[in-house]
Amino acid sequence: MQHLAEQILTHAEGLPEGAPIAAKGLLHLGSRAGVDQALSRLAERGELIRAGRGVYLRPIKSRFGTRAPSVEQAVEALAAQRGEVIVPTGAAEANALGLTTQVPVRSVYLTS
């Protein structure tokens, strides 16, 4: 029998890159307190990245080291998971539409 942390990592490996891992979605593996504790410990060890309260991301491992998934992928996956509309604002959207060459330094998103 696997430990809860190993089960969570196995579940996370089956998800696409940038997909959020929510504590609510892992309740079939154990109690809420146990899942929260396991996620916290995995984040401390660097096996998961804490993106927000109860939301974690799996880091991408390559031959150059580990990195966080792209912000766009994480935002799209989070929007799909929660059923919300999340869109970039201002200069980021103008750049995506090709209206300007200005690239914003900080990503800002609006949500429903």
Side-chain angles (χ1 to χ4, degrees):
M1 181 178 218
Q2 292 181 331
H3 292 286
L4 183 57
E6 294 170 354
Q7 291 176 339
I8 291 172
L9 286 177
T10 303
H11 174 76
E13 289 172 1
L15 296 174
E17 181 179 323
I21 303 162
K24 288 182 181 179
L26 299 172
L27 294 180
H28 64 281
L29 299 175
S31 68
R32 178 62 190 243
V35 168
D36 285 339
Q37 188 67 35
L39 287 170
S40 176
R41 288 180 180 162
L42 287 169
E44 285 177 7
R45 289 193 307 211
E47 297 185 37
L48 291 178
I49 300 169
R50 186 173 187 265
R53 185 175 176 190
V55 179
Y56 295 83
L57 300 170
R58 183 173 51 96
I60 310 305
K61 294 181 174 131
S62 68
R63 65 182 184 163
F64 301 112
T66 59
R67 64 171 176 85
S70 72
V71 174
E72 293 82 17
Q73 286 179 328
V75 168
E76 287 176 14
L78 190 61
Q81 181 188 42
R82 293 189 177 178
E84 296 181 4
V85 177
I86 302 176
V87 295
T89 62
E93 193 62 25
N95 184 320
L97 293 171
L99 300 175
T100 181
T101 58
Q102 177 183 4
V103 179
V105 174
R106 186 181 342 166
S107 298
V108 179
Y109 293 89
L110 298 175
T111 184
S112 57

